[in-house]
Every structure is written in C-alpha cells, then in structure tokens.
Amino acid sequence: MAKDQFVSQIADIEADFPQWYTDVVIKTKLVDYGPVKGTMVIRPYGYAIWENIQRELDARFKQAGVENAYFPLLIPMSFMTKEAEHVEGFAPEVAVVTHAGGEKLAEPLVVRPTSETIIGHMFGKWIESWRDLPLRQNQWCNVMRWEKTTRPFLRTSEFLWQEGHSVYATGEEAERETLAMLRLYGEFAKSVLCMPVLTGRKTEKEKFAGAVATYGMEAMMHDGKSLQAGTTHYMGQNFAKAFGVQFTDKDGELKFGYTMSYGVSTRLIGALIMTHGDKRGLVLPPPVAPYQVVIVPIAAKKEGVLAACEALREELKGAGLRVMLDDSDNSPGWKFNEWEMKGVPVRIELGPRDIENGKMTVFRRDTCEKSELSLANAGEGVQKLLGEISVSLYEKAKARMEQRVVHADSLQELLDGVNAGRFVCAGWCGERACEDKVKEFAQATARVLSEKNTHATCLCCGAKAKYTVYFARAY
Ligand code: ZN
C-alpha cells in the first residue's frame, strides 16, 4: 500500500481536527464505542497507556505518603443531598439505581459521580482524635456522569480516574496540600506526559460543587483549545460539617476537620493525543507509550535477520524497555506506516547490511528523522534517544503554548484571540456578569487565574481589574 493512501485514512489534522481525533483513537485501536451511548471500551493499546499513567502517578502519591483504599460504587441518595452546592452541581449528571433484585429499593442509590460524600461519611466514622490526622487516602476507580455529548477519553459517561481525599486539623494544612497536589500533577504532566500546563485557581463559576476553592491544570491542545487535565479542591469544613468529620483536638475540644480532594482521569490520554499528535497520527511520549520501540526486520527471510532482531529485542527488554518485534507477514513499508500512526517513539530497522556493519537504522517518531546507532550497547543508545525525545516533545509543546498566549483589553480582542486558537490573558473585575458576558460573546471560559496581575482594567466592563485571567475555548 502506498504511503499516501495510508495517511489518507486519517482526516487532515489542520483541516478537520475533531475528525482527525476520532480517526486516530479508533484506527489505532485505543478505544471503541460501547453499546450504551456515551460509554467507551478502552482497548489494550489504550489501557496500556492508562496503566503507565497509573503506575507513575501512584508511585508519586505513595512517595508523598498517601495510602490507597477502595470505596463502594453505590452511594445512598440521601448522602448526595447533605451538601447543598454539591447536590445542585451533580444532580443533572447522576445515574440512579431504583431497582435491584427484582424489587424497588426503599432508598434510591446513586452511581458515584465522585466520592466526597461516601468518603466523608467513612472518615467521620474512623477519625476520633487529632492523633488520627491527617488522614490521606486515594482510590483508583470508575465514576459515572451522564453526559449528553460525548467523545472518547474527553467526555464519556463512565470514566476511570483516581480521587484522593485528605482530612487535616487545620485549614492551612489542607490548603497547603491542595497546592502541593497541584504541583505534583504539574510535575507529572511535564515529566511523564511531556505536556506543559498552566496551573492556577479557578473562578467561583468554574469551581467544584461544594468546594471553597478549586485549582486546575490546563493544557493547550493542537487546535489552541484548552483541556482541563486535573483539578485539586480545598473544601474548608463544608463536607466535614455535612458528614460529621470531627475530632477531639489537643485542647480537648470537639472540632470539624478540613478536607481537600484531587483527581485526574483517563482524560489525560485525550490530552496527550491532542498535544503531541501530528498528521501521521499518534505521537506517544516515551514514559507512557505501550511500546517504546518497535523493531522491523528488513529482508526478514534472509538468514540471520530474524535471529538478530530477536536478540536485539531481548537485549532492549533487558535494558528495561517496552519493545515490540513486528515479525508479521506485512511489508516493511506497511509496518512503518502502521507503527507511525500508532505513535511508537522509536522504530529500529534491521537488515542484513546493518547487521554486517554492526549498526541499526533508527527512526524517531517525533521528528520523523532517521539516524544510525551502534548495535553494541543498543540498550544504552536507545534509552538515551528516548530521553531526548521526551525533552524535545515537552519543549516543542511549551514553545507552542507560549507563542499562543495573547493579551486582550476588550471583548473583541478576546474574540479575535480565541478564534485564532489562542489563550487570552485579560483583566477581570471579578464579577460573574462579566464572566458570563465573555462566555456569551466569545464562547470562551476563564480557565485559571494568573498569579501575576498584568492588566489594569476588566476587559468587559472597564472597571478596575481584580484578577488577570487566562481565557480560552475549552474541551
Ligand atoms: Zn467587569
């Protein structure tokens, strides 16, 4: 099959980015649609990425002293109504179980959209004194939020995630943890997903239902739109009061704890696809790629070629790399296209001439450049190359994001900016009416508040600016 024919199976990334995304996730077998509208099947190639994300993040949580646990999927309906803002925020999205075992249930059960309520309830049972604090637990699980319009990884009714929940004796400690987890996510995004992010506080309108403050990390996608890639929430005593999370303090008094939570989901897979992908398909960051290296034998039928490829595979595996040897009957050209579309960071071509010269031809997916590496110390050479690819992916995405931040002093300038796929930095008075106006006028939302106040006036009403905000269209 000619190369052009193959590439044409994926929509043009510049001309039709949404279709490109759909084509890529389906054709590379990351996902398929489930029979119930809005659900997705994560296929092995996609699930392997999730497992790598999980492993990297889980190690960081444990390093930070957080323990894993598992809480039930079903939550009594009455729990959801205990925290007023929380129920209001999630009511439109919850799926409810009304019947089980052939009978109508006395109390309907909610399929968890998030677990603050049930975890608050259990923490309330377990905590007695200040000695039990802080209590810091995380769970890896699925959640369900009924969505009207869905897209694989980005928005599906059921998705996988982790949700961490902590209780502290003081608000300062819980707030500090909220920011520490945001930093942990940012470092993870950089070093594992090779993805630069903007982090900061969310506006009241964009915060989590029931939180005092929400912080988010936002990443810029190929089309200049923003994707919320993770959030951390400081709850103050809202959930502690609703669920009786109390402790006897050192002074003998019974006090409510302060809680916080944080989560990232399979959405991260969508984020890395739309950050790094190109016209040929996926470009996977080496730390999460299911296969970091694919070996393609050239003139595979010639004596010694396959054996040399197998020996190389074992050597690279021994060096701790995830390796695929494609010894299928397809032509080398077909394999090149297939694995390029699937985003494998490094391809090694090994034929009789290479073997004779003690070299291998190496193709890196991010730049599509070929070079030669010595077959001696192959593991070390490839390891080094993967490291360079990770750095290069991050730097490229960072440069793109920085180039695409513009400043606006009026609604029209903001509209021009988001139309051109930019993050727009602008002053804001802090009033909800102005934030709503931005949404209505430009279909853009406040992504995060900037730490620096660089604008004197609100882009909307002209009053004195309280904040500088990054606005963008978002997924
Ligand atoms: Zn204003």
Side-chain angles (χ1 to χ4, degrees), residues 417-429:
V418 295
N419 276 343
R422 302 290 188 263
F423 280 8
V424 181
C425 207
W428 175 49
C429 61

Side-chain angles (χ1 to χ4, degrees), residues 119-128 135 167 243-246:
I119 292 179
H121 173 82
M122 298 311 298
F123 280 5
K125 260 178 87 171
W126 298 336
I127 294 166
E128 282 172 6
L135 188 58
V167 189
F243 291 94
V245 182
Q246 283 177 298

Side-chain angles (χ1 to χ4, degrees), residues 428-431 434 458 460-463:
W428 175 49
C429 61
E431 292 299 322
C434 287
C458 173
C460 191
C461 69

Side-chain angles (χ1 to χ4, degrees), residues 303-317:
E303 202 190 323
V305 170
L306 219 46
C309 287
E310 281 166 1
L312 178 61
R313 176 186 62 194
E314 293 314 305
E315 188 185 340
L316 295 179
K317 276 188 177 174

Side-chain angles (χ1 to χ4, degrees), residues 68-318:
N68 281 336
Y70 184 78
F71 294 84
L73 170 76
L74 297 175
I75 300 176
M77 181 66 113
S78 59
F79 280 28
M80 291 300 291
T81 55
K82 281 189 184 174
E83 212 292 329
E85 274 187 35
H86 192 65
V87 68
E88 197 190 315
F90 280 101
E93 298 181 350
V94 292
V96 183
V97 178
T98 56
H99 290 74
E103 282 172 33
K104 189 165 189 272
L105 298 172
E107 180 181 358
L109 305 172
V110 167
V111 180
R112 66 179 160 221
T114 179
S115 302
E116 274 74 12
T117 59
I118 193 162
I119 292 179
H121 173 82
M122 298 311 298
F123 280 5
K125 260 178 87 171
W126 298 336
I127 294 166
E128 282 172 6
S129 87
W130 61 272
R131 289 181 194 85
D132 301 320
L133 299 178
L135 188 58
R136 302 161 73 211
Q137 296 185 1
N138 173 65
Q139 75 168 338
W140 291 95
C141 66
N142 60 344
V143 287
M144 182 162 277
R145 297 177 187 178
W146 215 251
E147 301 278 2
K148 294 210 171 63
T149 46
T150 57
R151 299 184 69 192
F153 295 123
L154 304 178
R155 203 171 285 283
T156 50
S157 293
E158 181 188 0
F159 57 88
L160 304 181
W161 80 343
Q162 61 69 217
E163 50 178 320
H165 299 264
S166 305
V167 189
Y168 284 88
T170 66
E172 295 75 55
E173 290 171 287
E175 273 195 285
R176 205 179 307 139
E177 176 80 339
T178 310
L179 291 170
M181 282 303 168
L182 186 69
R183 279 195 300 277
L184 185 152
Y185 282 159
E187 182 279 323
F188 164 81
K190 179 180 178 180
S191 57
V192 177
L193 307 178
C194 307
M195 189 172 79
V197 288
L198 271 181
T199 56
R201 188 170 173 168
K202 293 262 170 189
T203 63
E204 285 293 301
K205 180 184 161 122
E206 299 290 331
K207 79 177 187 190
F208 178 79
V212 171
T214 287
Y215 297 82
M217 67 168 175
E218 299 280 324
M220 182 184 272
M221 303 294 101
H222 181 88
D223 58 355
K225 280 164 83 173
S226 187
L227 187 122
Q228 179 173 295
T231 45
T232 71
H233 315 287
Y234 170 58
M235 309 296 191
Q237 293 181 312
N238 292 350
F239 284 87
K241 284 184 175 163
F243 291 94
V245 182
Q246 283 177 298
F247 67 100
T248 309
D249 207 351
K250 287 174 185 168
D251 57 14
E253 273 184 50
L254 194 60
K255 295 176 184 171
F256 286 105
Y258 292 80
T259 66
M260 57 80 63
S261 69
Y262 48 100
V264 297
S265 72
T266 34
R267 211 168 199 230
L268 289 176
I269 300 174
L272 67 90
I273 295 167
M274 294 199 295
T275 297
H276 303 302
D278 66 14
K279 64 179 182 184
R280 297 188 194 195
L282 294 174
V283 177
L284 295 177
V288 296
Y291 303 117
Q292 296 165 308
V293 183
V294 60
I295 302 169
V296 176
I298 308 298
K301 294 204 170 66
K302 288 250 168 79
E303 202 190 323
V305 170
L306 219 46
C309 287
E310 281 166 1
L312 178 61
R313 176 186 62 194
E314 293 314 305
E315 188 185 340
L316 295 179
K317 276 188 177 174

Side-chain angles (χ1 to χ4, degrees), residues 315-373:
E315 188 185 340
L316 295 179
K317 276 188 177 174
L321 299 171
R322 298 187 288 273
V323 191
M324 153 66 98
L325 165 58
D326 187 350
D327 55 4
S328 67
D329 281 344
N330 296 309
S331 71
W334 189 93
K335 292 175 189 176
F336 292 177
N337 291 325
E338 173 78 0
W339 295 108
E340 280 171 27
M341 183 169 79
K342 296 189 95 156
V344 177
V346 168
R347 176 176 79 229
I348 296 174
E349 302 163 22
L350 198 60
R353 204 172 307 148
D354 302 299
I355 297 164
E356 208 179 288
N357 297 331
K359 293 194 185 308
M360 52 188 177
T361 303
V362 175
F363 170 89
R364 53 186 280 186
R365 176 64 183 87
D366 62 328
T367 57
C368 296
E369 288 165 355
K370 274 191 187 187
S371 60
E372 275 188 344
L373 281 180

